[in-house]
Amino acid sequence: MYHIQQQSLFSFDELMKMSAESKYSVVLEELPMSRILLAINKRSPLGRPERLNVRAMIYALFIGKMEHIRFTKDLIYRLRKDVEFRACCRFTDSEPIPSEASFSRLITKLERTNILAEIQDFIVDQAITEGFLSGETLALDSSHIEAFERNPNLDKPKAEKAESSTVEWEASALLIEESCRSLENIKPLKPKRAKRGRVPKAEQEAWRQQMEAYEASLSLFEREIANMLPASYDELIADLPQWASVGAKGDHRGKRHTKFWYGYKVNLLVDTASQYIVTSVNCSGHVSDQRPAIVLLKRLKERFPSLQVKHILADKGYDGEPVYKQIRDVGAFGLIPLIHRCELPAGMDKHFRPQCQQGHSYRYDSYDAKRDTIKWTLPKECASCPFQGQGCQKVVKKKMAENVRKYTAPGRGSAKFAELFKQRTAVERVFAYLKLYFEMGSSRKRKKRALVDLDLSCLVYNVCKLGLDRLNQNIRAAKKQAV
């Protein structure tokens, strides 16, 4: 381990500003290289022998991320011209510099073996074991990534463009380019009736059979979100759309300000205290935020059952009942702002807290885990209320199972809810680090290679976090010994 002489703890920004050799020594020591080499090395003694330094090539990919090198050709040029950089990547002077095709074959092996995801889980396990990651409060969010390839929709004739521009913006956000998908994955057409109105009794059976056949032909990500809950993680990840497509991000100012992009979405589940990426998944740009959230939560429950998660924070885009149900299945409470899609019921405020006869909202008191109930008490204003004791209950309790979306702990509208929700900015900070230091703003690879590039950015970030935490731990231990 590279030791720093100063007796002050380092932040993530300070780590990235360190000298090249110091920074790489801290980071690359945390990389389990033997696991990666075991997964991608040739297993048969037959065929052409491997003459390239694969270990140094992997180091070069990691260091290239930290040095803001986007293209493989630029990485090769730097290895050939910069002797110090070549030494940092662990290349010797007698070894040949790999070609662009060699790096391409290496990236293909990383994609086929899925070793980056395994190493990501290994790093998270190390952080949990050493006490750096508690997992008590997690934050969930997504970010758009523009694809390097050209949008096929831009090559259409002008007549087709003009016709497609009249379609509603929600439909344009769901455009799926057939050139990026195989023919067998094209979404089937929904049955349509020639006449509008109620289906006649004579045609009801035939129409029902057509709709059932249509529903059966859809994949899990084309059905209702609630239908994803019984499926396993492996089933969901097999059907997850992972090709470049047109995505849309709404704006409170109206449809004219809606942002469109062609590419992917990176979805992260981040520990708010340590800012480690617990798990991540990449999907097409058109997929709504709630669908990959189900995938992330199922992965969390399956891969890290030891984490005692209490709260999961997310923005309004995740306000859907299936997401709340999946969060409760993990054993946590979802702290997500509500989207009011209809008028509020009588006797409740916008946070679904009960109100007294004068219209004052009850105060959140506590959560009873044994009975799974949330408790409210009379508001302060009721101390001098003329209706006191004439109809207003002192205590109101509700079963959480009645509506997992309305009721959560701590209760909506309470100071505890607001204080906890402030921690959601941790996931936005992680996205800022990924885009600022690890070139995640836009991928410079195509199709499956773009997904490897995104996973590599997340892995390099977690490795840097683990190296930084271990470095600060050694500094603290040195301080204690000095005292």
Side-chain angles (χ1 to χ4, degrees):
M1 174 67 69
Y2 181 87
H3 296 283
I4 305 298
Q5 298 299 322
Q6 292 93 339
Q7 294 297 305
S8 60
L9 300 182
F10 286 86
S11 66
F12 193 87
D13 293 316
E14 290 171 340
L15 172 67
M16 302 309 296
K17 293 176 182 178
M18 290 167 60
S19 63
E21 182 59 35
S22 302
K23 177 170 57 177
Y24 303 150
S25 298
V26 170
V27 173
L28 296 183
E29 286 184 4
E30 314 304 333
L31 188 63
M33 184 58 66
S34 58
R35 288 173 171 261
I36 302 177
L37 295 176
L38 183 63
I40 66 176
N41 276 349
K42 188 173 66 171
R43 287 173 169 73
S44 174
L46 304 177
R48 183 179 179 181
E50 185 66 59
R51 298 181 179 178
L52 299 174
N53 189 343
V54 181
R55 179 188 296 267
M57 291 174 65
I58 296 173
Y59 282 147
L61 290 177
F62 273 74
I63 295 176
K65 280 290 182 182
M66 300 169 68
E67 288 293 325
H68 306 277
I69 301 176
R70 294 187 175 186
F71 296 94
T72 306
K73 62 180 181 62
D74 295 333
L75 179 62
I76 296 171
Y77 179 82
R78 182 84 177 271
L79 288 171
R80 289 174 179 172
K81 298 297 181 181
D82 193 339
V83 178
E84 183 181 358
F85 181 77
R86 186 162 63 246
C88 290
C89 296
R90 310 306 191 257
F91 279 102
T92 62
D93 294 336
S94 59
E95 290 174 338
I97 301 300
S99 64
E100 192 169 352
S102 299
F103 275 103
S104 178
R105 287 191 292 269
L106 175 61
I107 294 174
T108 301
K109 290 181 180 179
L110 294 175
E111 187 269 324
R112 290 178 179 176
T113 57
N114 198 31
I115 186 61
L116 294 183
E118 296 178 15
I119 300 301
Q120 184 78 282
D121 293 342
F122 175 79
I123 296 296
V124 174
D125 284 333
Q126 291 290 314
I128 295 173
T129 303
E130 298 179 28
F132 300 135
L133 196 161
S134 63
E136 183 174 332
T137 304
L138 303 180
L140 180 66
D141 204 358
S142 65
S143 181
H144 72 277
I145 304 296
E146 294 184 358
F148 187 49
E149 56 262 38
R150 180 181 172 86
N151 185 353
N153 194 40
L154 299 177
D155 298 327
K156 291 182 178 180
K158 293 184 178 180
E160 294 185 21
K161 290 183 182 179
E163 183 179 353
S164 61
S165 63
T166 59
V167 183
E168 293 291 335
W169 71 275
E170 293 90 348
S172 61
L174 296 176
L175 284 176
I176 299 175
E177 283 67 24
E178 298 181 4
S179 61
C180 299
R181 307 182 63 180
S182 55
L183 294 176
E184 61 269 16
N185 289 333
I186 297 177
K187 183 177 178 180
L189 296 177
K190 188 175 182 179
K192 294 182 179 180
R193 296 183 64 248
K195 296 181 179 180
R196 298 175 61 182
R198 185 179 299 177
V199 181
K201 291 185 178 180
E203 302 176 8
Q204 285 182 355
E205 182 63 24
W207 176 251
R208 184 184 62 81
Q209 293 178 0
Q210 290 182 15
M211 291 302 299
E212 288 180 355
Y214 168 73
E215 292 289 341
S217 64
L218 297 178
S219 66
L220 288 170
F221 279 82
E222 293 168 338
R223 301 177 186 176
E224 295 292 332
I225 300 178
N227 294 331
M228 298 172 59
L229 296 180
S232 65
Y233 170 78
D234 293 332
E235 292 173 341
L236 291 175
I237 206 69
D239 279 346
L240 180 65
Q242 290 185 317
W243 55 85
S245 65
V246 178
K249 183 176 182 180
D251 195 291
H252 67 279
R253 294 174 294 178
K255 298 179 181 179
R256 294 180 58 186
H257 299 277
T258 300
K259 181 178 181 179
F260 293 90
W261 78 94
Y262 179 76
Y264 310 92
K265 269 185 182 178
V266 176
N267 306 270
L268 300 182
L269 196 60
V270 173
D271 179 52
T272 58
S274 62
Q275 296 181 16
Y276 275 93
I277 299 175
V278 180
T279 183
S280 63
V281 67
N282 307 315
C283 64
S284 301
H286 71 273
V287 180
S288 65
D289 289 345
Q290 296 183 25
R291 296 181 183 273
I294 302 294
V295 180
L296 289 174
L297 294 170
K298 285 186 176 291
R299 177 64 173 170
L300 174 67
K301 181 181 178 181
E302 176 186 303
R303 184 60 183 79
F304 305 105
S306 61
L307 285 180
Q308 302 297 320
V309 185
K310 294 183 179 180
H311 303 99
I312 294 180
L313 319 178
D315 57 22
K316 285 186 177 182
Y318 297 89
D319 180 30
E321 190 170 351
V323 177
Y324 289 98
K325 289 182 178 179
Q326 189 59 48
I327 291 175
R328 291 306 308 272
D329 188 54
V330 173
F333 295 103
L335 304 188
I336 307 173
L338 289 169
I339 299 177
H340 295 285
R341 302 180 178 90
C342 56
E343 294 184 2
L344 294 172
M348 285 193 174
D349 64 1
K350 63 179 182 179
H351 300 296
F352 289 99
R353 296 177 297 184
Q355 292 179 322
C356 67
Q357 293 186 15
Q358 284 190 325
H360 301 298
S361 298
Y362 277 60
R363 295 175 296 169
Y364 168 74
D365 183 83
S366 60
Y367 166 71
D368 187 351
K370 184 177 180 180
R371 297 176 176 81
D372 192 32
T373 56
I374 185 172
K375 176 182 175 182
W376 293 277
T377 57
L378 279 173
K380 296 179 180 179
E381 294 82 359
C382 291
S384 58
C385 177
F387 299 100
Q388 188 176 8
Q390 301 181 10
C392 290
Q393 300 179 8
K394 292 184 178 180
V395 174
V396 177
K397 295 183 179 180
K398 289 286 186 180
K399 279 280 187 182
M400 300 281 283
E402 288 184 12
N403 195 315
V404 293
R405 178 173 171 264
K406 293 180 181 178
Y407 309 129
T408 186
R412 297 184 182 280
S414 64
K416 292 181 179 180
F417 185 102
E419 191 65 26
L420 269 173
F421 191 75
K422 290 179 181 179
Q423 300 180 27
R424 195 195 69 85
T425 56
V427 66
E428 297 177 351
R429 195 173 299 112
V430 171
F431 273 121
Y433 284 141
L434 289 170
K435 294 181 178 181
L436 179 62
Y437 294 122
F438 304 111
E439 292 298 329
M440 198 188 232
S442 58
S443 174
R444 289 302 183 264
K445 302 288 190 300
R446 299 178 188 273
K447 299 184 179 180
K448 288 291 185 180
R449 298 171 188 272
L451 303 180
V452 176
D453 191 51
L454 300 177
D455 289 337
L456 188 62
S457 296
C458 294
L459 179 56
V460 176
Y461 169 82
N462 263 7
V463 172
C464 289
K465 280 291 300 179
L466 183 61
L468 178 64
D469 287 341
R470 286 177 173 174
L471 177 63
N472 287 329
Q473 188 180 54
N474 291 341
I475 294 175
R476 293 191 189 97
K479 284 183 177 181
K480 289 182 179 179
Q481 291 179 358
V483 173

